[in-house]
Amino acid sequence: MSRTENCCLWAPMNDPVYRAYHDEEWGVPVHDDRIFMEMLVLEGAQAGLSWETILKRRNAYRQLFKNFNSQELAMMKDAELEALCQDPRIIRNKRKIFSARNNAKVFCNIQEEFGSFDRYVWPFVGGVPIVNRPETLADVPAQTKESQALSRDLKKRGMSFVGPTIIYAFMQATGLVNDHTIDCSWAAS
């Protein structure tokens, strides 16, 4: 589809970063563990901030967080993480930065237990994307019973920055949920 077609109102046509994310990623089912790791880190970093703030720093996150290779990220040393707390290319919140390593360790444990994070996460939505087709952005929930269940399980396993609202955004970002509004050209995709 062309970028001149209708899209969700949160992705303004004049913002190429948002539009590319909306048009090419948001709501598209993911089965790649590296992308799952990336979205967990980025959604956690976004807490309390705009998604635009994170998208514009995404390439720096990829570079600084080992391209979201969960095993490499899990092995980062305290000194490396402390240095990231001073890097203006990312959000310099120490708790969020250190949680990325901790969450990567838990992520690796999940991969070991289930064979992949993909095999772990998809059953939370019954193995297929939940397609909601909201009429407006106001109809999109901040969290659902599925995001609450996934959040609860991730927290029980030791992850942080994975509350039900963050996890719902993660589910949208990885296509576990498709919340494109009905007037969006990508709603039927």
Side-chain angles (χ1 to χ4, degrees):
M1 289 185 199
S2 103
R3 293 187 191 283
T4 60
E5 303 220 15
N6 293 334
C7 77
C8 300
L9 290 178
W10 60 262
M13 191 174 293
N14 63 348
D15 187 328
V17 173
Y18 253 130
R19 281 306 300 262
Y21 176 72
H22 171 274
D23 294 356
E24 298 164 17
E25 294 182 69
W26 196 69
V28 176
V30 168
H31 294 285
D32 181 328
D33 278 7
R34 189 205 63 76
I35 296 171
F36 282 125
M37 184 77 252
E38 178 175 7
M39 288 304 165
L40 279 170
V41 172
L42 295 179
E43 292 293 352
Q46 186 268 337
L49 304 169
S50 74
W51 187 237
E52 179 182 22
T53 299
I54 301 304
L55 282 179
K56 289 185 176 179
R57 291 168 171 79
R58 190 176 191 182
N59 287 333
Y61 272 95
R62 285 178 175 156
Q63 177 188 358
L64 299 171
F65 286 87
K66 312 292 184 182
N67 200 32
F68 300 106
N69 177 305
S70 57
Q71 293 175 344
E72 290 180 27
L73 182 51
M75 308 243 333
M76 288 182 76
K77 305 289 185 216
D78 284 354
E80 290 177 275
L81 297 174
E82 289 289 350
L84 294 182
C85 293
Q86 306 307 314
D87 196 314
R89 296 176 293 166
I90 63 170
I91 304 306
R92 294 174 284 178
N93 179 302
K94 185 174 183 172
R95 287 182 52 229
K96 291 177 180 182
I97 289 170
F98 274 77
S99 78
R101 177 183 62 187
N102 176 70
N103 289 356
K105 289 177 182 179
V106 175
F107 192 95
C108 289
N109 292 340
I110 291 170
Q111 288 176 310
E112 188 173 315
E113 180 180 345
F114 290 85
S116 69
F117 191 83
D118 182 65
R119 287 187 196 145
Y120 161 77
V121 76
W122 275 97
F124 283 91
V125 294
V128 296
I130 295 172
V131 180
N132 290 320
R133 302 205 190 286
E135 286 190 37
T136 68
L137 289 177
D139 298 324
V140 177
Q143 57 182 273
T144 61
K145 65 181 174 34
E146 293 85 4
S147 74
Q148 292 165 356
L150 179 53
S151 169
R152 202 170 26 255
D153 194 68
L154 291 172
K155 286 180 181 179
K156 183 178 80 174
R157 292 170 181 277
M159 282 197 186
S160 58
F161 288 97
V162 289
T165 300
I166 291 171
I167 290 302
Y168 193 66
F170 164 80
M171 293 170 84
Q172 293 169 313
T174 57
L176 295 164
V177 173
N178 180 336
D179 275 336
H180 288 281
T181 53
I182 59 170
D183 59 344
C184 175
S185 300
W186 280 260
S189 298

